[in-house]
Amino acid sequence: MDKFTKLTGVAAPMPIVNVDTDMIIPKDYLKTIKRTGLGSGLFAEMRYKDDGSENPDFVLNKPAYRKAQILVAGDNFGCGSSREHAPWALLDFGIRCVISTSFADIFYNNCFKNGILPITVSPEDLEKLMDDASRGSNATVSVDLEAKEIRGPDGGVVTFDLDDFKRHCLLNGLDDIGLTMEKVGAIDSFEKKNAEQRPWA
């Protein structure tokens, strides 16, 4: 998993509440267990018209936001079913950070396991960041995970809290497998000792 330390990029505004995982990646795209290739289906029902052409009014289809790496979203982002395809699709599109006032628990935890930083801020701070994001591609936003700060294009700073363990994992690029591999020495030692004590096992 890629480390997340600092990110400076375009932030796309999505002032929609209760964006559920079916909106993030519709069920038609759940036929794969690969983590790649799902970016084309991200927000498909809003992003494309019935004939398959792009909806020019959808934020990620606008020229200023086609390469957005940060999403500033409404309350309760990621609610609905627990599909891990939702963070996979965001990451495959290029989104590394989602900022909202609240997240569904399962989606929130799945983000950390896939290298995405979900940040919870106050409604007042979200309003400021939504305004920053609405300015287009010239108004970049910087996220510093180590300092736990979001810096807007005008120099304004929003601080955020995050569990120390989750922060450690993202800073060091550690998913569940990576955390296990940190213990490889102890695991090898146990296996060797176990083989000596129980050669029949």
Side-chain angles (χ1 to χ4, degrees):
M1 188 174 82
D2 290 339
K3 296 179 181 180
F4 189 115
T5 52
K6 295 180 182 178
L7 173 66
T8 299
V10 173
M14 188 176 286
I16 305 171
V17 299
N18 301 322
V19 171
D20 64 29
T21 51
D22 192 53
M23 292 169 69
I24 297 171
I25 184 74
K27 60 183 181 301
D28 298 348
Y29 294 88
L30 306 186
K31 298 170 185 174
T32 180
I33 56 171
K34 293 181 180 178
R35 298 184 182 208
T36 56
L38 290 169
S40 61
L42 181 69
F43 299 116
E45 292 178 357
M46 294 187 285
R47 196 166 149 205
Y48 304 111
K49 296 180 179 180
D50 290 341
D51 63 4
S53 62
E54 288 188 352
N55 172 8
D57 295 327
F58 182 65
V59 62
L60 296 179
N61 289 336
K62 295 179 179 180
Y65 300 111
R66 283 186 175 274
K67 295 186 178 179
Q69 294 178 280
I70 301 164
L71 196 62
V72 183
D75 306 340
N76 197 30
F77 190 87
C79 56
S81 68
S82 61
R83 64 191 68 168
E84 196 167 1
H85 293 70
W88 293 354
L90 287 164
L91 190 63
D92 194 59
F93 180 85
I95 303 291
R96 291 293 313 276
C97 177
V98 182
I99 304 169
S100 178
T101 56
S102 58
F103 295 91
D105 286 345
I106 294 175
F107 173 82
Y108 183 79
N109 288 312
N110 279 340
C111 281
F112 290 101
K113 295 178 181 181
N114 289 283
I116 296 174
L117 172 60
I119 299 176
T120 305
V121 296
S122 69
E124 294 77 21
D125 285 337
L126 187 75
E127 187 177 349
K128 290 182 212 167
L129 293 166
M130 196 73 76
D131 181 64
D132 288 339
S134 298
R135 300 183 196 183
S137 58
N138 292 325
T140 57
V141 173
S142 296
V143 178
D144 185 333
L145 178 55
E146 198 157 13
K148 294 189 285 188
E149 290 180 348
I150 305 166
R151 192 171 294 275
D154 296 332
V157 177
V158 171
T159 59
F160 61 91
D161 290 323
L162 188 65
D163 174 82
D164 287 340
F165 177 71
K166 287 181 169 64
R167 179 167 162 269
H168 166 80
C169 289
L170 273 183
L171 285 171
N172 293 282
L174 298 171
D175 57 11
D176 289 347
I177 294 172
L179 285 167
T180 302
M181 293 307 293
E182 283 194 318
K183 308 292 185 184
V184 70
I187 293 169
D188 288 345
S189 176
F190 170 82
E191 292 290 349
K192 182 179 178 182
K193 185 176 180 181
N194 188 56
E196 291 170 354
Q197 293 178 343
R198 301 171 53 195
W200 62 88

